[in-house]
Amino acid sequence: MAEGEKTRVRERPPLAENPYEMNMRRRRERAERNRTGPVLIKGSDREVFVARQGRLMFYLNPYAYNDTPLQQWQVFKHEIRTRSGKHRHQGGVIIYVLDGKGYSIVDGERVDWKKGDLVLLPMKPEGVEHQHFNSQPGTPAFWVAFYSIPIIEHIAAEMEQVEDSPEFKG
């Protein structure tokens, strides 16, 4: 081979799709979504719906909105007109009260809250039974709940609906 001659290297063919490569691709996609996903989630772009727990609107929910960053979080607003449904799970939820006044029954104990308060549901392996009530009928109470999906998965949290919200018509 002559001294100045170069060998041309062909481009590498795409890698075959297998569980490892799928994992690597999803990691890249998640990192890109976290870098470039929306900075603002407008409430007007989200659906308000009535479920067994009550009137809800999810801002972040990887099962419903997979185009947002922070797929490891569920963040939802809850409007409480009279009372929510009652349910039990292992806890670990942060609730910030946006407006109104009410109380929660947490494992049989009443906890009063009002606008600006932060409610922290304890983490218990056997679960925390809770229900939320509005103290001012005719004026809805609003709060936003935050929970970390990795924590919920780590503790193998289960959720059991004990009683439906009176708004839910199933």
Side-chain angles (χ1 to χ4, degrees):
M1 182 159 43
E3 200 173 298
E5 210 174 303
K6 293 184 180 180
T7 306
R8 184 175 177 186
V9 178
R10 292 192 311 168
E11 222 175 275
R12 183 181 217 173
L15 296 170
E17 188 78 356
N18 59 48
Y20 179 81
E21 295 306 327
M22 286 173 24
N23 182 51
M24 296 300 287
R25 179 175 44 80
R26 287 190 177 151
R27 283 177 176 225
R28 284 190 304 273
E29 289 168 356
R30 182 175 50 228
E32 180 65 15
R33 186 173 50 245
N34 285 337
R35 276 193 301 275
T36 63
V39 174
L40 174 66
I41 306 296
K42 293 183 177 185
S44 59
D45 292 339
R46 296 296 196 234
E47 172 193 5
V48 175
F49 58 94
V50 177
R52 293 186 295 160
Q53 194 55 20
R55 188 174 296 274
L56 307 171
M57 180 184 69
F58 279 89
Y59 289 93
L60 294 178
N61 181 336
Y63 312 113
Y65 307 110
N66 59 11
D67 61 336
T68 61
L70 303 173
Q71 291 283 297
Q72 305 81 4
W73 286 91
Q74 280 198 352
V75 177
F76 64 92
K77 183 166 70 172
H78 194 159
E79 177 184 343
I80 303 169
R81 294 181 177 182
T82 57
R83 69 180 188 275
S84 72
K86 182 191 299 186
H87 66 270
R88 178 185 304 108
H89 56 78
Q90 281 69 19
V93 177
I94 299 167
I95 298 170
Y96 179 73
V97 182
L98 296 169
D99 203 7
K101 185 177 176 183
Y103 61 95
S104 299
I105 304 294
V106 180
D107 283 339
E109 193 173 315
R110 181 176 168 144
V111 178
D112 291 285
W113 44 259
K114 64 182 182 326
K115 179 181 178 176
D117 287 347
L118 193 67
V119 179
L120 306 173
L121 293 179
M123 294 177 76
K124 296 181 178 181
E126 68 277 8
V128 178
E129 185 173 278
H130 53 285
Q131 187 172 20
H132 312 286
F133 297 83
N134 181 350
S135 295
Q136 300 173 312
T139 304
F142 293 93
W143 50 254
V144 174
F146 303 81
Y147 70 89
S148 165
I149 293 170
I151 289 174
I152 298 303
E153 289 177 349
H154 177 73
I155 63 174
E158 296 177 0
M159 188 177 299
E160 175 189 358
Q161 193 75 31
V162 177
E163 177 186 312
D164 290 343
S165 165
E167 289 186 80
F168 182 65
K169 304 300 180 206

